[in-house]
């Protein structure tokens, strides 16, 4: 009941544990081949169709921020208003005290679309979290995105927005160092 990618990840972890414990004497473990890289991204028309199919403000805000910042789902769902700086036009995706991992979070500029969406959300905010529903932080947005994708006919997931943001920035001649 699991995909080959999940099986491969689990077997690679098991292989690493066995090698750590047994060294050269570790048994051989074969794993499924790696899956093809995902290269799906949205066109501007698909973005518009998707946004038209979204029924709730918090999901619309998430999609707008994901497409304009390129941030990961977890970074946006953790975002609080104290890290949104309207005066300087920046969004700090790294909360204070967060352990730094390879999945870095940084300060990103907000464009006009993000600023307008954030201002509208700030005016209606019921909690400290930017992405909220009924005054509470949102734990996951995957089902809502999947529903909007079905209604709009635009196949996507929260991670596709990250790819889309990177592609759109590259198309706008943003330097690769800045995109990264």
């Amino acid at each position: 009941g699991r995909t080959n990618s999940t099986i491969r990840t689990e077997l690679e972890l098991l292989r690493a544990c066995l090698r750590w414990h047994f060294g050269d004497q570790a048994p051989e473990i074969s794993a499924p081949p790696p899956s093809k890289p995902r290269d799906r991204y949205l066109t501007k028309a698909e973005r518009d169709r998707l946004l038209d199919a979204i029924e709730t403000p918090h999901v619309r805000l998430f999609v707008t921020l994901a497409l304009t910042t390129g941030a990961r789902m977890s970074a946006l769902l953790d975002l609080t208003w104290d890290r949104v700086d309207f005066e300087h036009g920046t969004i700090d995706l790294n909360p204070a005290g967060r352990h730094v991992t390879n999945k870095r979070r940084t300060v990103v500029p907000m464009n006009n679309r993000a600023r307008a969406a954030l201002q509208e959300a700030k005016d209606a905010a019921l909690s400290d979290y930017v992405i909220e529903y009924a005054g509470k932080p949102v734990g996951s947005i995957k089902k809502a995105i999947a529903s909007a994708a079905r209604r709009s006919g635009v196949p996507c997931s929260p991670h596709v927005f990250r790819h889309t943001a990177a592609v759109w920035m590259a198309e706008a001649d943003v330097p690769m160092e800045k995109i990264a």
Side-chain angles (χ1 to χ4, degrees):
R2 302 285 185 246
T3 65
N4 278 350
S5 293
T6 302
I7 293 168
R8 181 178 177 80
T9 300
E10 296 294 325
L11 289 175
E12 286 175 346
L13 179 61
L14 177 61
R15 182 185 299 151
C17 291
L18 290 172
R19 283 184 182 159
W20 179 83
H21 183 74
F22 294 108
D24 292 341
Q25 304 301 313
E28 276 298 315
I29 295 180
S30 62
S35 59
K36 293 187 303 189
R38 297 181 198 164
D39 56 1
R40 168 92 174 113
Y41 62 92
L42 303 179
T43 64
K44 302 248 182 351
E46 287 175 323
R47 173 206 54 203
D48 294 341
R49 280 198 349 250
L50 181 67
L51 286 172
D52 288 343
I54 294 174
E55 299 171 341
T56 52
H58 72 286
V59 179
R60 178 181 297 277
L61 177 62
F62 174 84
V63 171
T64 300
L65 292 178
L67 289 172
T68 57
T69 65
R72 287 182 173 84
M73 178 180 67
S74 58
L76 291 176
L77 294 181
D78 289 345
L79 183 62
T80 52
W81 286 113
D82 61 324
R83 293 183 283 126
V84 176
D85 187 345
F86 288 102
E87 184 178 336
H88 295 101
T90 60
I91 303 167
D92 184 354
L93 296 169
N94 201 20
R98 179 181 178 269
H99 174 70
V100 178
T101 66
N102 286 339
K103 296 184 176 185
R104 297 178 316 227
R105 295 184 184 182
T106 187
V107 177
V108 295
M110 65 173 86
N111 65 13
N112 291 338
R113 185 182 295 259
R115 180 184 289 277
L118 284 166
Q119 191 60 62
E120 184 179 340
K122 177 71 173 158
D123 293 342
L126 299 174
S127 77
D128 291 338
Y129 286 89
V130 173
I131 310 292
E132 67 176 6
Y133 182 76
K136 294 188 168 62
V138 175
S140 178
I141 201 103
K142 289 180 182 180
K143 285 183 184 177
I145 298 298
S147 295
R150 261 191 317 278
R151 285 192 303 274
S152 67
V154 177
C156 66
S157 67
H159 200 71
V160 167
F161 304 137
R162 202 166 148 71
H163 290 249
T164 301
V167 168
W168 288 356
M169 284 187 249
E171 289 175 349
D173 293 327
V174 174
M176 205 47 75
E177 298 81 29
K178 196 163 187 165
I179 294 172

